[in-house]
Amino acid sequence: MLNKELFYATIKPFETETDDDAFARLDKFAEMLIETNKSFNLTAIKEPDDVTVKHFADCLAIFKYVNIPENARIIDVGTGAGFPGLVLKLCRPDINMTFLDSTKKKLGFIENVLNECGVKGETLHMRAEEAAQLSKYREQFDFATARAVAALPVLSEYCLPFVKQGGSFISMKSAESDEEMKDAKKAIGILGGKINDDIVFDLVENMPRRIIIIKKNSQTPTKYPRPSAQIAKKPLK
Ligand code: SAM
C-alpha cells in the first residue's frame, strides 16, 4: 500500500526509531483508512503518498521534539481516525494510549486497526470536558496530544486538566497560529500550564508545521474544564 522509500525518506529528518514492524503496522492502518474512508468519512486525505506525509510523518515528528519515556501514559484528545495517537502507538506499542473522541464510529475504526495490528489501547467515547472531570482521567496522563480539534484557548481547557503535574500538553498546529497562541497565553496560565517550547519546522519543503509544548506546572483549578456551552460561549482568554 505505502511507498516504503517515500516513508523512510520523509521521516528521516525526524530521527524516529521506526523499524519495519512499525512500518508494516502503519501500512495496515493506511490500507484500512483508505478502504473505510470510501463508506465513512474519516479523512480528506485519500492518496497513500499524502497519508505518508500529511498524516504519518506529521505525527511522527512529535518523537523528534518530545522525549516520550517508555510506557508513558498519553491521551489523544479528539483523535478522529487516530491522529496523532494511533500513529504514535503503532510505532511505539509500549506507550499506554487512550484514544478519546465524541464520535463513537471513529473509535470503532481505531479498535479495528488495533485488533488487526495486535496492539492494545483504550478507546474513550466521551467529550473531553466531561472525561476530564472524572478522577479516573483527571491529571492522570504524562502527555495529552491534539491535532485539528479546536483553537488553542479552548483546546487548552480540554487538554491541560488531563495532564499530571510535570507532564505536557503537545498541541499540533499550523504555522499560522500566532494569533491563537497569543489568545491562549492567559488561559494556559489559569489552567496550570506554561508554554515550554514552540517549534516551527518544515514537514517537507514548503509545508511548515508547528508543535507547541505546554508544560503542566501546577494543578488545574477544579472548576475547569467548564461545561461545553460555557466554554463555547466564553473561551478563557
Ligand atoms: N485529530 C484528528 C486529526 O488530526 O485528523 C481528528 C481531527 S477532527 C477535525 C476533530 C475531532 O475532534 C473529531 O473527530 C471530533 O469528533 C473530535 N472532537 C471535537 N471536540 C471534541 C470534544 N470536546 N471532545 C471529544 N472529541 C471532540
Side-chain angles (χ1 to χ4, degrees):
M1 159 69 47
L2 295 181
N3 177 334
K4 201 167 176 175
E5 269 173 41
L6 174 72
F7 175 79
Y8 280 111
T10 314
I11 65 162
K12 194 160 184 259
F14 306 124
E15 302 155 18
T16 62
E17 297 159 31
T18 313
D19 57 18
D20 280 355
D21 288 344
F23 176 78
R25 290 189 287 271
L26 290 171
D27 195 50
K28 176 52 82 182
F29 177 18
E31 183 192 321
M32 293 174 75
L33 180 73
I34 289 170
E35 189 51 40
T36 309
N37 208 38
K38 290 177 186 162
S39 52
F40 172 54
N41 186 20
L42 288 168
T43 174
I45 295 168
K46 297 185 171 78
E47 295 303 320
D49 288 356
D50 286 340
V51 171
T52 295
V53 177
K54 295 179 182 165
H55 278 327
F56 291 174
D58 190 33
C59 298
L60 290 173
I62 285 180
F63 285 133
K64 171 163 183 181
Y65 300 111
V66 190
N67 175 28
I68 297 181
E70 222 178 317
N71 303 317
R73 194 165 179 214
I74 305 183
I75 185 162
D76 189 28
V77 175
T79 187
F83 303 108
L86 190 52
V87 179
L88 303 182
K89 176 72 189 176
L90 295 179
C91 218
R92 283 266 313 269
D94 65 282
I95 293 172
N96 290 297
M97 185 69 72
T98 298
F99 302 91
L100 178 138
D101 205 282
S102 53
T103 306
K104 198 173 169 100
K105 221 167 155 184
K106 292 183 180 172
L107 296 176
F109 168 74
I110 290 176
E111 284 163 8
N112 290 341
V113 177
L114 289 169
N115 283 339
E116 277 290 325
C117 294
V119 170
K120 289 195 188 333
E122 178 190 23
T123 53
L124 181 58
H125 176 222
M126 284 186 91
R127 288 196 65 86
E129 52 279 42
E130 289 164 8
Q133 284 296 357
L134 304 178
S135 56
K136 189 172 172 205
Y137 300 111
R138 190 176 181 86
E139 306 202 308
Q140 297 298 316
F141 294 88
D142 300 301
F143 301 94
T145 52
R147 186 184 83 164
V149 177
L152 199 55
V154 168
L155 193 59
S156 299
E157 189 165 350
Y158 289 166
C159 293
L160 272 170
F162 287 115
V163 181
K164 52 167 93 145
Q165 284 179 59
S168 298
F169 161 37
I170 304 164
S171 175
M172 300 173 69
K173 287 281 169 192
S174 78
E176 298 90 43
S177 46
D178 286 352
E179 201 61 33
E180 59 178 287
M181 262 189 83
K182 218 168 76 206
D183 284 351
K185 279 216 168 102
K186 196 169 160 205
I188 290 168
I190 292 171
L191 296 160
K194 189 167 186 292
I195 295 177
N196 203 39
D197 220 340
D198 170 22
I199 305 135
V200 177
F201 62 97
D202 266 334
L203 181 55
V204 288
E205 216 180 324
N206 296 324
M207 217 185 268
R209 292 285 190 271
R210 185 176 214 158
I211 294 180
I212 303 162
I213 302 167
I214 299 165
K215 186 105 193 257
K216 178 89 169 253
N217 290 324
S218 55
Q219 216 179 345
T220 301
T222 50
K223 71 173 189 177
Y224 304 110
R226 297 162 296 157
S228 316
Q230 274 184 43
I231 298 178
K233 199 167 156 207
K234 213 165 177 255
L236 272 179
K237 275 191 191 173

